[in-house]
Amino acid sequence: MCGRFAITLPNDAMARLFTAAPANDLPDGPNYNVCPTTRIHVVAGSEGGRRLVGMRWGFVPRWYTSMSDGPLLINARAETIAQKPAFREACRERRCLIPVSGFYEWTRDSSGVRWPWYIKGPDTLALAGVWQNWGRGGESVESCAIVTTAANAAMSPIHHRMPVVVDRADWGLWLGEEGHGAARLMRAPDEGLLRFHPVDRAVNSNRASGPDLIAPVSRDNPEPSQ
């Protein structure tokens, strides 16, 4: 599962990092509380080279008559993505990278209280994604979903699912620039890649914003447990 994340890298730095041509209407940043249905930064391949564009986070299948015609598809499971009607064509033809500075997950204590954690790498993470161009009645939108897989041992105390993180050396393969073989990338990252720390419960609100959301906080129960 990946249902909330942060992106703090400026647009021009993001374009340089991914060697991508930036669109003119990229989302504003930084954003420390990116929520589903938000327009997010996406790196997609094209015949003219990589492009950095804004897409709706919430994949809209072609057969939806409106963007809210069915379930909100923010994640696509790696184990079934090639078989699911919503994702199987995009998995073959429209893979993308979603830059994030880190993402959030939650655990619950014995009282049912949700406690947030911020998970990050040593640098900007490139999450595996798939995208779709949907249109009805003159309305058109590009939308995407994050590919997830079973959590590795380091992540599993917080959540049983995690995003697929694509190593920099594999960006071209995932984007379809280097032939076939992208399926092998849909796995959990090495256990040493990600670090996590508890953050303030303010992030439980999708209206919260600001850098304090990712700042470490002290807790009486600092160790994650589900």
Side-chain angles (χ1 to χ4, degrees):
M1 178 73 177
C2 182
R4 208 88 71 78
F5 65 84
I7 180 66
T8 62
L9 195 66
N11 289 343
D12 56 349
M14 211 178 307
R16 288 195 302 271
L17 176 63
F18 290 93
T19 320
N24 294 324
D25 60 345
L26 290 170
D28 294 331
N31 188 342
Y32 293 88
N33 193 5
V34 181
C35 302
T37 73
T38 302
R39 287 183 75 250
I40 64 173
H41 299 82
V42 173
V43 179
S46 69
E47 292 184 359
R50 295 176 190 173
R51 57 193 182 106
L52 177 64
V53 297
M55 292 188 186
R56 176 186 188 263
W57 183 21
F59 191 96
V60 185
R62 292 190 188 280
W63 59 84
Y64 277 23
T65 58
S66 70
M67 286 190 289
S68 58
D69 189 34
L72 179 60
L73 304 176
I74 61 171
N75 294 156
R77 293 174 67 95
E79 298 87 345
T80 58
I81 192 171
Q83 289 80 43
K84 290 289 186 180
F87 299 121
R88 62 190 177 198
E89 182 182 306
C91 181
R92 292 193 305 268
E93 302 176 5
R94 290 183 301 279
R95 297 186 298 273
C96 61
L97 297 169
I98 298 172
V100 308
S101 301
F103 59 96
Y104 300 96
E105 282 296 356
W106 282 259
T107 55
R108 291 183 184 272
D109 63 18
S110 58
S111 302
V113 177
R114 298 176 74 234
W115 295 97
W117 300 81
Y118 184 62
I119 300 101
K120 64 178 184 177
D123 207 338
T124 300
L125 299 171
L127 306 188
V130 291
W131 69 277
Q132 174 86 300
N133 195 325
W134 174 90
R136 284 289 189 282
E139 183 181 18
S140 179
V141 64
E142 289 183 334
S143 63
C144 64
I146 293 171
V147 180
T148 66
T149 189
N152 59 27
M155 182 71 185
S156 59
I158 296 179
H159 201 278
H160 66 284
R161 303 289 298 176
M162 68 186 303
V164 171
V165 180
V166 182
D167 292 339
R168 184 167 188 162
D170 295 321
W171 290 353
L173 180 60
W174 182 254
L175 292 174
E177 300 167 351
E178 300 173 4
H180 301 291
R184 67 174 176 80
L185 304 179
M186 290 192 288
R187 62 184 189 276
D190 293 339
E191 292 184 15
L193 176 66
L194 301 178
R195 305 184 299 275
F196 50 84
H197 59 255
V199 293
D200 195 275
R201 293 182 64 221
V203 77
N204 290 7
S205 169
N206 58 15
R207 296 184 178 89
S209 62
D212 288 348
L213 296 181
I214 66 172
V217 298
S218 298
R219 283 191 198 152
D220 293 336
N221 54 339
E223 295 301 320
S225 61
Q226 294 204 37

